[in-house]
Amino acid sequence: MAKKEWEKRIAFLGPEGTFTELATKELFPNDWTIPFKSIPECIEAVDAGQVDLAVVPVENALEGSVPLTIDYLFHEADLFISAEVLTPIEQNLMVHKNNVEKYEEIESVYSHPHALAQCHKYLYYHFKSVPLSQSSSTAAAAQFVAENPELCVAAIANVAAAEQYDLQIVQKNIHDFHFNHTRFFVLSKRNDRIERDEDKQQIKTTLMIKLPSDRSGALHQVLSVFAWRQINLSKIESRPLKTGLGDYFFIVELLEDENAPLMRGAMEELRTLGCSVKSLGSYYTYHQK
Amino acid sequence: MAKKEWEKRIAFLGPEGTFTELATKELFPNDWTIPFKSIPECIEAVDAGQVDLAVVPVENALEGSVPLTIDYLFHEADLFISAEVLTPIEQNLMVHKNNVEKYEEIESVYSHPHALAQCHKYLYYHFKSVPLSQSSSTAAAAQFVAENPELCVAAIANVAAAEQYDLQIVQKNIHDFHFNHTRFFVLSKRNDRIERDEDKQQIKTTLMIKLPSDRSGALHQVLSVFAWRQINLSKIESRPLKTGLGDYFFIVELLEDENAPLMRGAMEELRTLGCSVKSLGSYYTYHQK
């Protein structure tokens, strides 16, 4: 496919038909989207200038953070968040078109372990004795079912995967929790934010903070810096520094622009207090329709 | 094996030869230790009174927390921590005794994905083109190698697995990071602590705290309750409440006894502030030798 001049090149966690592709297409319907095999490969592709942006999952409402994304951004890469996309996780049971009539007799259900867990109740009530098989992604499960029409098996995946691999959805929305969303980061080498006026949300800033070594009450001090300025914290998370058990860095998300005077003051104070502070930038939230 | 009257029954995350078994044997060398297939099965066994205690991994210095343990303790079980054990993670390359002479010609290396990652540099320099195969645990990899002497393959696992499955260690201590430890919880239905005077360490209390719904600055307020009392925080972590993206509970670890007057005051204040607070108890730390 020839690259059009006006297109951005966007890496996403593949294969085609993943929820990450859905999130990518929501924000970049007309750009050149390229599947990569792993989260590190997506991030490396932006870092190396091979693509303009990368879209990777960062958090799920049920499973929590994706440690690989967080840790890779802290330890390995030097990138900024240009936007975040919130995608509803809607799962469907799908089979090869040859097997639609006999879908109730399927001999195995393929999907990512998280997707199988998300449909636990449905599977328990409808396919109690049918063995479950783990795939590396929901899209990979759909691909496997597409490539093996002689097997009477089903995949659990999203609508895009059914289209991509020409499968028939036999049961829609079989996930147990109907509020489940995954959050994706759009990553860039440049600290610029994606702005679409019609969707504009509250701005958010993500900071990665390393506390001064083992001073008691240091985390409380960090939160005080934001609290007295009434800068709201939407998330705090700890991850290992990888220097020993009990050594952590913190990911802090704040509902304020990093360029606002109060935020600039807060970051300056944190550094004066001996913290190392890395801003991943300020960005808007986009909701997948 | 007949159960002796004085023995405790201890569930651990199996199979035999895991790092969890090493941690279990450190604290309970003379008790009846029983391997279980998964973390939920270990926890359920204590909850159901089928065993007296369960030992499960909770955190690794490189990989961070074990979400399954944290989430199961918050959402599903009602247990207490009786002790924690810190175990150094030392990995070794081992082969079937028939294959010792030709170990440099191995055709595949089996282990848990974390162990393969922990020996990345060693494998890169010594077995660059040898394919890696993932197992469900380091012990399962050792078992596979033991059961397939006709294959010229190796496992990466601990010393106990080599003994358990009668394998020969051909390279000792091949892990890249020499500070790596895993932390294990000893769980009980009763809020009692395991005390061995010779090993006694600083006492620690683990609390699970749910903040009042979305009051700005609530987390800062929680930390203030501990900070002005000079109760040291050794860890704070957020995990999803599973009610929607952005809803979290917090695991807070404090270097104080839950029965100390200042801690009792702190917990009372937290509840008055609208937090829900669940103590998993106070416990000592034991270091694996």
Side-chain angles (χ1 to χ4, degrees):
Chain A
M1 191 165 96
K3 179 181 177 299
K4 295 182 213 128
E5 276 312 311
W6 60 86
E7 277 180 339
K8 285 206 188 83
R9 293 157 304 169
I10 326 257
F12 70 90
L13 179 62
E16 280 154 339
T18 55
F19 283 97
T20 315
E21 188 182 25
L22 277 184
T24 308
K25 294 282 190 194
E26 172 70 25
L27 213 48
F28 308 104
N30 303 312
D31 290 287
W32 190 13
T33 57
I34 310 157
F36 280 74
K37 272 191 196 159
S38 69
I39 290 169
E41 283 172 75
C42 289
I43 294 178
E44 293 290 350
V46 195
D47 218 24
Q50 197 186 337
V51 297
D52 301 299
L53 299 167
V55 182
V56 293
V58 65
E59 187 179 3
N60 173 269
L62 296 174
E63 312 291 342
S65 279
V66 181
L68 192 53
T69 299
I70 305 279
D71 290 357
Y72 215 86
L73 286 176
F74 182 82
H75 292 287
E76 310 285 343
D78 199 18
L79 298 179
F80 296 95
I81 305 163
S82 293
E84 67 171 358
V85 185
L86 306 188
T87 298
I89 301 301
E90 292 165 348
Q91 305 285 11
N92 307 279
L93 190 73
M94 54 192 71
V95 298
H96 193 280
K97 285 183 172 165
N98 296 355
N99 295 325
V100 174
E101 298 296 312
K102 47 182 177 172
Y103 89 86
E104 285 169 322
E105 296 145 42
I106 46 172
E107 283 153 21
S108 186
V109 178
Y110 285 76
S111 199
H112 188 274
H114 286 179
L116 295 172
Q118 285 156 17
C119 303
H120 173 79
K121 279 186 200 156
Y122 172 82
L123 292 169
Y124 181 84
Y125 287 114
H126 295 85
F127 295 98
K128 194 175 172 179
S129 54
V130 175
L132 308 178
S133 302
Q134 301 192 349
S135 312
S136 58
S137 69
T138 52
Q143 190 173 8
F144 177 83
V145 170
E147 287 170 356
N148 292 278
E150 75 288 0
L151 300 177
C152 191
V153 295
I156 293 177
N158 64 37
V159 178
E163 280 168 22
Q164 177 72 35
Y165 300 105
D166 199 26
L167 300 179
Q168 178 78 46
I169 292 179
V170 289
Q171 290 279 321
K172 270 189 87 73
N173 295 335
I174 60 168
H175 44 285
D176 300 333
F177 292 90
H178 288 270
F179 59 79
N180 190 21
H181 283 73
T182 294
R183 192 176 160 219
F184 297 89
F185 277 165
V186 181
L187 299 168
S188 167
K189 270 185 98 147
R190 292 183 309 176
N191 190 0
D192 47 14
R193 54 193 77 162
I194 291 166
E195 300 194 42
R196 305 264 159 97
D197 279 324
E198 70 275 22
D199 287 301
K200 201 184 282 185
Q201 305 283 326
Q202 167 72 54
I203 200 155
K204 206 189 271 185
T205 300
T206 296
L207 303 181
M208 288 181 161
I209 300 176
K210 206 179 124 208
L211 303 182
S213 57
D214 222 26
R215 175 147 49 86
S216 133
L219 182 62
H220 174 249
Q221 218 172 13
V222 167
L223 296 192
S224 303
V225 162
F226 298 112
W228 78 256
R229 290 176 166 89
Q230 298 189 296
I231 300 174
N232 281 346
L233 199 83
S234 59
K235 178 172 179 176
I236 183 167
E237 191 182 344
S238 57
R239 287 291 307 157
L241 273 176
K242 307 201 182 209
T243 51
L245 211 51
D247 301 340
Y248 306 100
F249 70 94
F250 293 88
I251 305 105
V252 174
E253 297 191 349
L254 302 145
L255 303 182
E256 184 56 280
D257 192 317
E258 63 174 343
N259 298 316
L262 281 174
M263 272 288 277
R264 288 214 309 270
M267 286 197 276
E268 203 179 301
E269 272 185 20
L270 289 178
R271 292 191 180 106
T272 313
L273 289 169
C275 297
S276 80
V277 183
K278 183 181 172 187
S279 174
L280 299 190
S282 300
Y283 51 90
Y284 296 107
T285 304
Y286 295 89
H287 295 264
Q288 171 120 31
K289 275 150 212 114
Chain B
M1 189 166 97
K3 180 180 177 301
K4 296 182 211 126
E5 275 312 311
W6 60 86
E7 277 180 339
K8 284 205 188 84
R9 293 157 304 170
I10 327 258
F12 71 91
L13 179 62
E16 279 153 340
T18 55
F19 284 97
T20 315
E21 188 182 24
L22 277 185
T24 308
K25 293 283 189 192
E26 172 69 26
L27 213 49
F28 308 103
N30 302 314
D31 290 287
W32 189 13
T33 57
I34 309 155
F36 280 74
K37 272 192 197 158
S38 68
I39 290 169
E41 283 172 73
C42 290
I43 295 178
E44 294 290 351
V46 194
D47 218 25
Q50 196 186 338
V51 296
D52 301 298
L53 300 167
V55 182
V56 293
V58 65
E59 186 177 5
N60 173 270
L62 295 174
E63 312 292 341
S65 280
V66 180
L68 192 53
T69 299
I70 306 279
D71 290 358
Y72 215 86
L73 286 176
F74 182 82
H75 292 286
E76 309 285 343
D78 199 17
L79 297 180
F80 297 95
I81 305 165
S82 293
E84 69 172 356
V85 184
L86 305 188
T87 297
I89 301 300
E90 292 164 349
Q91 304 285 10
N92 308 278
L93 191 73
M94 54 192 69
V95 298
H96 194 279
K97 286 183 173 165
N98 296 355
N99 295 324
V100 174
E101 297 297 311
K102 47 182 178 174
Y103 89 86
E104 284 168 323
E105 295 145 42
I106 45 172
E107 283 153 22
S108 186
V109 178
Y110 286 75
S111 200
H112 187 274
H114 286 179
L116 294 171
Q118 285 156 17
C119 303
H120 174 78
K121 280 186 199 156
Y122 172 82
L123 292 169
Y124 182 83
Y125 286 115
H126 295 86
F127 295 98
K128 195 175 171 179
S129 55
V130 175
L132 307 178
S133 301
Q134 302 192 349
S135 312
S136 59
S137 69
T138 53
Q143 189 173 9
F144 177 84
V145 170
E147 287 170 355
N148 293 277
E150 75 290 358
L151 300 177
C152 190
V153 295
I156 293 177
N158 64 36
V159 178
E163 281 168 22
Q164 175 74 36
Y165 300 105
D166 200 26
L167 300 180
Q168 177 79 46
I169 292 180
V170 288
Q171 289 279 321
K172 270 190 85 73
N173 294 336
I174 61 168
H175 45 284
D176 300 333
F177 293 90
H178 288 270
F179 59 79
N180 190 21
H181 283 72
T182 294
R183 192 175 160 219
F184 297 88
F185 277 166
V186 181
L187 299 169
S188 167
K189 271 187 98 148
R190 293 182 308 176
N191 189 2
D192 46 15
R193 54 194 77 163
I194 292 166
E195 299 195 42
R196 305 264 158 99
D197 280 324
E198 70 274 25
D199 287 302
K200 202 183 282 186
Q201 305 284 325
Q202 168 72 55
I203 199 154
K204 208 188 268 184
T205 300
T206 296
L207 303 181
M208 289 182 159
I209 300 176
K210 206 179 124 209
L211 303 181
S213 58
D214 222 27
R215 175 147 48 87
S216 136
L219 183 62
H220 174 249
Q221 216 172 13
V222 167
L223 297 193
S224 302
V225 164
F226 299 111
W228 79 256
R229 291 177 166 90
Q230 297 188 297
I231 299 174
N232 281 347
L233 198 82
S234 60
K235 179 172 179 177
I236 182 167
E237 192 182 343
S238 56
R239 286 292 306 158
L241 273 176
K242 306 201 182 208
T243 51
L245 210 51
D247 300 341
Y248 307 100
F249 69 94
F250 293 88
I251 305 106
V252 174
E253 297 190 348
L254 302 147
L255 303 182
E256 185 54 280
D257 191 317
E258 64 174 344
N259 298 316
L262 281 173
M263 272 289 277
R264 288 213 309 270
M267 286 197 277
E268 202 179 301
E269 271 185 22
L270 289 178
R271 292 191 180 107
T272 313
L273 288 169
C275 296
S276 80
V277 184
K278 182 182 173 186
S279 173
L280 300 190
S282 300
Y283 51 89
Y284 296 108
T285 303
Y286 295 89
H287 294 265
Q288 172 119 30
K289 276 148 211 114

